[in-house]
């Protein structure tokens, strides 16, 4: 049976609101456009620390550009509760390591799932290492219609059990979340990349040209 992750998130947010608390969320961020709606939505409920860890972005200029746009977005958008940013070192060698032998697989499948797992594992691991600093971890990736929200949530639930940290389920594309992210990207004139970040997604988008 298909799980309604938005409904699961609703229940958690309702409980937080009824308790009158402001938990701390470690939110994996892939880019500013995807983060825009998620931040607008969740700043109502959480103190948020964005965790920019994306070894799939193997081009240094692209990596720095996306990180810079996240920093600018945070500085410009309204926020009910504080939003901080952690920019991790670029680690393209890690991406090449985990995709070795999977180069010829189609976009959106097993290779991408391994990339999801790498980024979420790093986020959960950081939360575990900083025990007591955060109440939940999550990812902005589920806002994209090009990402498999079921697989992302499945991985998140596994990591919750493995690391003993709480995962915040989501399907942020619901309720026009993706559409809102496009509107916010225009509002803040965000650099909106048209490929995920890895060389495979870039080739899928542009071919060999």
């Amino acid at each position: 049976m298909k799980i309604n992750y938005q409904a699961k998130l609703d229940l958690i947010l309702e409980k937080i609101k009824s308790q009158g608390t402001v938990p701390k969320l470690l939110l994996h961020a892939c880019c500013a456009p995807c983060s825009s709606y998620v931040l607008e939505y969740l700043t109502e409920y959480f103190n948020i620390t964005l965790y920019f860890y994306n070894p799939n972005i193997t081009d240094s200029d692209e990596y720095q550009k996306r990180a810079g746009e996240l920093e600018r977005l945070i500085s410009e958008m309204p926020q009910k509760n504080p939003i901080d940013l952690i920019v991790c070192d670029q680690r393209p060698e890690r991406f090449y390591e985990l995709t070795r032998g999977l180069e010829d697989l189609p976009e959106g499948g097993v290779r991408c799932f391994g990339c999801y797992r790498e980024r979420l594992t790093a986020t959960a691991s950081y939360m575990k290492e900083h025990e007591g600093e955060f109440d939940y971890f999550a990812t902005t990736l589920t806002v994209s219609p090009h990402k498999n929200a079921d697989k992302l949530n499945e991985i998140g639930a596994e990591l919750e059990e493995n690391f003993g940290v709480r995962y915040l389920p989501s399907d942020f594309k619901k309720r026009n979340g993706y559409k809102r992210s496009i509107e916010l990207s225009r509002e803040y004139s965000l650099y909106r990349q048209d490929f995920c970040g890895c060389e495979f997604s870039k080739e899928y988008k542009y071919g060999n040209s």
Side-chain angles (χ1 to χ4, degrees):
M1 185 178 68
K2 189 171 177 62
I3 299 173
N4 186 331
Y5 291 103
Q6 179 63 56
K8 293 186 72 170
L9 176 59
D10 285 342
L11 290 175
I12 294 171
L13 297 182
E14 287 171 11
K15 184 176 181 181
I16 288 171
K17 193 168 185 178
S18 69
Q19 291 173 337
T21 59
V22 184
K24 295 180 180 179
L25 173 66
L26 183 65
L27 179 62
H28 168 263
C30 55
C31 62
C34 286
S35 300
S36 60
Y37 163 72
V38 180
L39 291 176
E40 181 183 67
Y41 180 25
L42 295 184
T43 187
E44 176 79 19
Y45 304 94
F46 297 97
N47 290 334
I48 300 172
T49 297
L50 286 174
Y51 190 70
F52 185 74
Y53 174 72
N54 299 284
N56 58 307
I57 306 172
T58 53
D59 180 87
S60 180
D61 289 343
E62 181 75 17
Y63 195 85
Q64 295 304 321
K65 189 170 187 177
R66 294 194 195 191
E69 285 293 86
L70 265 178
E71 186 174 9
R72 181 171 70 84
L73 175 65
I74 292 171
S75 71
E76 294 180 6
M77 75 179 305
Q79 44 196 264
K80 181 174 181 179
N81 292 300
I83 301 173
D84 297 314
L85 173 64
I86 296 169
V87 176
C88 299
D89 292 337
Q90 188 183 11
R91 295 189 60 198
E93 72 284 353
R94 178 60 186 147
F95 177 72
Y96 288 126
E97 177 185 333
L98 68 91
T99 57
R100 190 176 297 120
L102 306 176
E103 294 89 348
D104 296 329
L105 293 181
E107 189 72 4
V110 172
R111 186 180 61 235
C112 294
F113 296 166
C115 186
Y116 297 172
R117 184 175 294 277
E118 170 67 18
R119 291 186 275 178
L120 268 66
T121 298
T123 309
S125 178
Y126 185 90
M127 181 175 173
K128 183 67 174 179
E129 290 169 7
H130 296 78
E131 199 161 356
E133 292 186 22
F134 304 101
D135 300 290
Y136 294 91
F137 80 97
T139 179
T140 62
L141 287 168
T142 66
V143 78
S144 171
H146 305 296
K147 300 294 185 292
N148 188 318
D150 289 339
K151 178 58 68 172
L152 285 161
N153 281 286
E154 177 186 310
I155 293 169
E158 289 177 18
L159 295 173
E160 176 179 76
E161 184 173 346
N162 293 342
F163 283 92
V165 296
R166 283 191 290 183
Y167 172 70
L168 189 71
S170 70
D171 193 352
F172 292 123
K173 72 178 70 64
K174 299 294 187 183
R175 298 180 183 164
N176 292 317
Y178 179 67
K179 179 182 177 183
R180 179 59 179 156
S181 75
I182 295 173
E183 294 171 351
L184 288 167
S185 294
R186 293 195 185 110
E187 182 178 335
Y188 291 99
S189 301
L190 296 175
Y191 163 61
R192 190 173 182 87
Q193 68 283 342
D194 54 8
F195 67 103
C196 178
C198 75
E199 62 183 51
F200 307 111
S201 63
K202 191 172 186 179
E203 183 177 346
Y204 178 78
K205 177 69 178 180
Y206 296 110
N208 295 317
S209 60

